[in-house]
Amino acid sequence: MTQTKYQKIADELREKILAGDYPVDTTIPPELQLQKDYAVSRHTVRQAIALLVNEGYLRREKGSGTYVDDRYKQAVATHVEHKTIGVITTYLSDYIFPSIIRGIEKTLSTQGYSLLLASTNNDYQLEKDCLQKMIDYGVQGLIVEPTKSNQYNPNLASYVQLKEQGIPMVMINAAYEELATPYIRVDDVQSGFLATEYLIHHKHRHLLFLTKIDDLQGKYRMKGFIEACEKYNLQFSPEAILTYTTETRKTVILQAARQLKNDPSITGIICYNDQIANALMTELITEGYQIPQNLSIIGNDDSALSKTGIVKLTTLSHPKEKMGIDAANWIIQTITTQKPQDNIIYEPQLVERDSVRPN
């Protein structure tokens, strides 16, 4: 991996600090001056400064400037190398994300890396803030779960800049189709296909499919649903597919309940994930439906939600903690070898529980 512009600037500034050209506790030239001196963008200058802050050669003082520091001497004396991997996910504290993060953190710590964690809440502006946080800190690599991966993302230019700067990056669960970025994900087309096929094999001919349309996983799972219907010559109407976004997740539950009342022939429901399946099942049981006697429901991701509640959910597997471990190993190997590793795609498995009516 060739040396990037910001690394070259950092090397020169580091040499000047060590030579005494910039004494401890004095300020370095302002960012605008460095931009002119090196004929680079402000983004590149900030990356160079962030790297030196991370190494202990500089420190930022808000409202004052960037000062020369000597914290690097302590690291040299104790032979400690500060190595940090940035991790950006859509969410942190719920659903499958704690397991993924646990796998990442456990693996990074055994290899001497620390973790800098941030969450976008599936929001573009928050994603932009997260990316800037990682750049300012000077992380050695990035593990990213894309934000609204099935829509145009205004932050794509920032990702291109990161790639140009030579920062290794791998995406999990999905990837931006506009970027040639390595990824680690489940085969979501197969997930949608297996769920649909399972209901068809259980003699369900009228199906309802609920999917999240602003994330790429939802698009792929819908593709799997359609492929299974085509394979088994199952006709479906436009009303058989209900879509929702991050912002409309709660309303799709009521929409599905209305659809079932309007079309009592529906006997099988495939949901984008266990979160939606669990919420829908709770609503339907409240309205008097019996699961699976009246309706069969399948979730996705084999989350903790699939094992709670009155009826345990039939679902599709997601390797969660293994994905975190693999992502951490991927980024470490890429940093070590200076060569990107191969993509990883997991084959989903059906997890049978109690929410589908037996044959």
Side-chain angles (χ1 to χ4, degrees):
M1 195 178 293
T2 59
Q3 193 179 40
T4 62
K5 291 180 182 178
Y6 84 88
Q7 288 171 329
K8 291 178 181 178
I9 297 170
D11 286 348
E12 289 192 24
L13 291 175
R14 190 187 299 107
E15 288 174 8
K16 290 181 179 180
I17 291 170
L18 293 173
D21 295 345
Y22 298 140
V24 175
D25 292 330
T26 62
T27 59
I28 63 169
E31 291 180 5
L32 186 59
Q33 184 61 49
L34 292 173
Q35 281 180 249
K36 293 179 180 178
D37 292 345
Y38 291 100
V40 295
S41 67
R42 187 180 184 186
H43 169 81
T44 300
V45 169
R46 284 187 168 181
Q47 280 192 293
I49 292 173
L51 178 60
L52 294 176
V53 169
N54 191 25
E55 292 178 352
Y57 289 90
L58 296 175
R59 69 176 185 275
R60 286 193 181 94
E61 294 187 7
K62 191 172 181 180
S64 180
T66 303
Y67 290 80
V68 177
D69 208 337
D70 59 359
R71 289 177 294 114
Y72 70 91
K73 293 180 180 178
Q74 181 180 357
V76 172
T78 57
H79 303 285
V80 173
E81 183 182 2
H82 189 74
K83 301 184 296 184
T84 303
I85 302 299
V87 178
I88 299 175
T89 64
T90 51
Y91 302 99
L92 293 179
S93 60
D94 62 353
Y95 201 48
I96 63 174
F97 302 101
S99 296
I100 295 173
I101 294 165
R102 182 168 58 248
I104 295 172
E105 190 169 28
K106 180 170 62 177
T107 306
L108 290 180
S109 63
T110 61
Q111 299 295 319
Y113 285 83
S114 58
L115 178 152
L116 182 62
L117 193 58
S119 168
T120 68
N121 287 324
N122 223 26
D123 177 86
Y124 294 135
Q125 183 57 51
L126 289 176
E127 182 187 44
K128 182 179 180 180
D129 295 342
C130 290
L131 288 170
Q132 190 60 55
K133 175 182 178 181
M134 300 301 168
I135 292 168
D136 290 344
Y137 193 85
V139 295
Q140 280 72 56
L142 268 177
I143 299 170
V144 179
E145 184 187 36
T147 292
K148 295 185 178 178
S149 52
N150 195 38
Q151 295 182 356
Y152 168 71
N153 189 318
N155 298 320
L156 291 179
S158 297
Y159 283 108
V160 171
Q161 288 176 346
L162 286 167
K163 290 176 66 178
E164 290 175 346
Q165 296 299 335
I167 297 176
M169 184 188 330
V170 64
M171 296 197 168
I172 58 172
N173 284 328
Y176 295 119
E177 291 185 316
E178 300 88 344
L179 304 175
T181 307
Y183 56 79
I184 300 173
R185 63 175 181 83
V186 175
D187 185 342
D188 287 297
V189 175
Q190 185 68 357
S191 291
F193 182 91
L194 289 175
T196 309
E197 181 182 60
Y198 186 74
L199 286 181
I200 293 171
H201 283 167
H202 281 67
K203 301 179 180 178
H204 293 279
R205 304 297 298 176
H206 298 276
L207 305 177
L208 182 65
F209 185 76
L210 277 67
T211 193
K212 193 169 188 282
I213 204 61
D214 53 352
D215 286 333
L216 208 55
Q217 298 102 303
K219 172 185 173 180
Y220 289 159
R221 291 172 189 179
M222 179 170 60
K223 182 179 180 181
F225 167 77
I226 293 170
E227 286 183 0
C229 289
E230 289 178 341
K231 178 178 178 180
Y232 292 99
N233 297 314
L234 193 71
Q235 299 294 319
F236 64 91
S237 66
E239 294 77 22
I241 298 177
L242 298 181
T243 63
Y244 66 97
T245 66
T246 300
E247 293 76 21
T248 62
R249 177 170 62 89
K250 293 182 179 179
T251 61
V252 78
I253 301 299
L254 298 177
Q255 189 180 355
R258 286 196 299 269
Q259 180 69 8
L260 290 168
K261 289 179 180 178
N262 293 334
D263 187 357
S265 67
I266 295 171
T267 60
I269 307 172
I270 302 119
C271 294
Y272 168 74
N273 62 14
D274 296 337
Q275 192 175 51
I276 285 294
N278 185 276
L280 178 59
M281 187 162 58
T282 300
E283 175 68 22
L284 294 178
I285 290 173
T286 301
E287 293 191 9
Y289 289 93
Q290 291 184 311
I291 311 295
Q293 293 89 340
N294 302 137
L295 289 167
S296 293
I297 299 178
I298 295 184
N300 204 326
D301 296 331
D302 193 22
S303 70
L305 288 174
S306 66
K307 304 164 193 173
T308 61
I310 300 172
V311 181
K312 307 299 183 288
L313 270 172
T314 294
T315 184
L316 278 299
S317 63
H318 186 294
K320 296 178 281 293
E321 188 163 343
K322 177 173 173 51
M323 175 180 279
I325 292 169
D326 288 344
N329 283 325
W330 191 102
I331 207 78
I332 292 170
Q333 286 297 314
T334 299
I335 292 171
T336 302
T337 64
Q338 298 188 353
K339 181 181 178 181
Q341 307 302 296
D342 293 334
N343 296 331
I344 299 173
I345 301 179
Y346 306 107
E347 290 300 318
Q349 303 293 323
L350 194 81
V351 182
E352 296 183 82
R353 294 200 177 94
D354 307 325
S355 63
V356 174
R357 183 186 67 208
N359 277 329

